[in-house]
Amino acid sequence: MPSLFDPIQLGTIHAPNRILMAPLTRGRATRDAVPTDIMVDYYTQRASAGLIITEATGISREGLGWPFAPGLWTDEQVEHWKAVTDSVHASGGHIVVQLWHMGRQVHSSVTGVAPVSSSATRTAGQAHTYEGKKDFEVARPLELAEIPRLLADYEHATKNALRAGFDGVQIHGANGYLIDQFLRDNANFRDDIYGGSIENRIRLMREVTERVASVAGAERTSIRLSPNGDSQGVDDSNPVALFTAAAKALDEIGIAFLELREPGPDGTFGRTDVPKVSPAIRQVFSKPLVLNSDYRSVAQAQAAIDSGVADAIAFGRPFISNPDLPERLRTGAPLAEGNPATWYSQGAEGYSDYPALETATA
């Protein structure tokens, strides 16, 4: 079996190790969703990851409701992302951008437009806005006539990603956001070709992936799914059937890799007792499979690879406070603890001011 520290081919990317940096929303862009200088520092510090998957990045104003999150729909955003990708590449790293449409998880006070989803549903709880937390709003269902416009938004963002110098793109199809809202049957009540049967509910995911791959190439395209249990109020009555069908469709498209976020009963972002679907997905998906959620140790990650289910592991929160995480894992050095109070704050504190082990030891 390969080691966590062995290289792996992810489409066109030759990753030097199997420790990927998972997408982590950090809220350091401007109100216009433009990347800032400290984002260059942050991502460059983490260039030793086998592959960096950026924080979720909006494909449009409609789809981006998280305060101070970045986007990829304007020329200004593209130019500032270039500084990030150039610096990561100069440090020997690889970086792909995660493309995001939040669907019903946005609030109109942030986007200026009503939230959209598969159906007229509302997320329980409250949304983060520039004016503090506000109750989520009832989303309006996307009309059939709007789907081509949505696909065009993904295509436009993909073209911008390539202009910005990214090595590829990842589609955010997880965590209860728009694509997930179409996939799962407790959020999708449509009676047209995008609702009802599993074949219909995976249609939008397949069409988005095909459109993105038509621009970037399938070998530069990946997707993230969250197949087991509730995720921000989105769930499914038969996850094994749904997500194996989704994985088969993605395998046919020939994407570079598939990342799965699968929390367990002790998950730090969502908890579930629903058994993991990854073993079933492994049987139908032939390309590299990347597992994510609450991995913190070499032993835990290596066990997933040794099982034959995972080809690589995407580490999330450990990368926040350990910019040199691969080296710390390789040498058995202690991991620094992060401060959750600074995860989404503005500025360098708790973001780009965590030292590498060599500096911290000195």
Side-chain angles (χ1 to χ4, degrees):
M1 286 293 175
S3 160
L4 187 65
F5 305 100
D6 286 339
I8 184 173
Q9 197 70 32
L10 301 170
T12 60
I13 297 169
H14 184 70
N17 59 64
R18 296 169 187 242
I19 302 167
L20 277 58
M21 179 175 165
L24 295 157
T25 295
R26 303 305 310 277
R28 260 65 176 194
T30 69
R31 277 194 179 225
D32 292 324
V34 177
T36 54
D37 290 344
I38 60 171
M39 291 172 62
V40 177
D41 297 335
Y42 171 77
Y43 282 113
T44 304
Q45 290 165 356
R46 290 152 180 81
S48 64
L51 172 65
I52 294 171
I53 306 171
T54 72
E55 63 206 280
T57 299
I59 63 169
S60 63
R61 181 74 275 177
E62 172 196 79
L64 183 62
W66 191 277
F68 299 110
L72 255 180
W73 67 86
T74 72
D75 289 340
E76 185 180 12
Q77 292 162 356
V78 170
E79 288 305 310
H80 283 76
W81 270 122
K82 281 181 181 178
V84 174
T85 61
D86 285 348
S87 185
V88 169
H89 290 150
S91 296
H94 305 280
I95 183 169
V96 301
V97 65
Q98 188 187 64
L99 301 181
W100 200 20
H101 192 302
M102 297 173 67
R104 71 183 192 182
Q105 303 287 1
V106 308
H107 195 279
S108 62
S109 68
V110 177
T111 63
V113 296
V116 299
S117 186
S118 55
S119 303
T121 60
R122 174 184 173 274
T123 302
Q126 295 184 309
H128 293 278
T129 78
Y130 289 112
E131 292 79 38
K133 290 190 174 183
K134 295 186 177 183
D135 291 344
F136 282 108
E137 302 163 306
V138 176
R140 68 172 183 83
L142 274 168
E143 299 178 8
L144 269 177
E146 293 181 280
I147 300 296
R149 185 264 300 168
L150 176 68
L151 296 176
D153 287 343
Y154 275 100
E155 178 178 347
H156 179 64
T158 303
K159 289 178 178 177
N160 282 346
L162 299 181
R163 288 174 54 210
F166 284 103
D167 298 305
V169 297
Q170 183 185 80
I171 300 159
H172 199 336
N175 298 8
Y177 296 117
L178 182 67
I179 290 175
D180 213 13
Q181 292 160 27
F182 271 79
L183 285 173
R184 300 206 256 182
D185 61 13
N186 86 327
N188 184 340
F189 306 109
R190 300 176 74 97
D191 58 6
D192 58 19
I193 61 171
Y194 292 94
S197 68
I198 286 176
E199 179 183 4
N200 282 354
R201 283 185 280 123
I202 68 172
R203 188 183 305 274
L204 182 68
M205 178 208 72
R206 189 178 68 245
E207 290 180 349
V208 167
T209 307
E210 288 172 341
R211 182 65 68 91
V212 168
S214 74
V215 175
E219 69 281 2
R220 295 182 186 270
T221 301
S222 63
I223 189 168
R224 172 183 252 214
L225 300 175
S226 48
N228 69 309
D230 176 278
S231 188
Q232 300 196 91
V234 175
D235 207 348
D236 195 79
S237 61
N238 192 349
V240 173
L242 170 63
F243 285 100
T244 52
K248 285 178 182 177
L250 296 167
D251 195 61
E252 290 169 0
I253 295 170
I255 63 171
F257 67 92
L258 169 60
E259 184 199 3
L260 303 178
R261 182 187 166 274
E262 291 190 301
D266 300 317
T268 54
F269 179 69
R271 296 174 173 84
T272 179
D273 292 320
V274 176
K276 294 185 177 183
V277 186
S278 51
I281 289 174
R282 174 76 287 172
Q283 299 304 310
V284 300
F285 188 75
S286 62
K287 297 296 181 68
L289 192 61
V290 179
L291 299 187
N292 165 259
S293 197
D294 300 301
Y295 287 93
R296 288 189 61 85
S297 71
V298 172
Q300 184 187 21
Q302 188 63 52
I305 293 174
D306 290 345
S307 74
V309 175
D311 296 292
I313 302 296
F315 288 80
R317 293 178 182 182
F319 259 115
I320 292 178
S321 50
N322 299 275
D324 54 346
L325 182 64
E327 180 64 11
R328 294 192 188 221
L329 294 177
R330 187 185 67 80
T331 61
L335 299 186
E337 293 297 325
N339 178 11
T342 62
W343 282 348
Y344 309 120
S345 60
Q346 293 287 282
E349 182 184 3
Y351 184 65
S352 57
D353 64 344
Y354 288 106
L357 181 62
E358 183 176 284
T359 305
T361 302

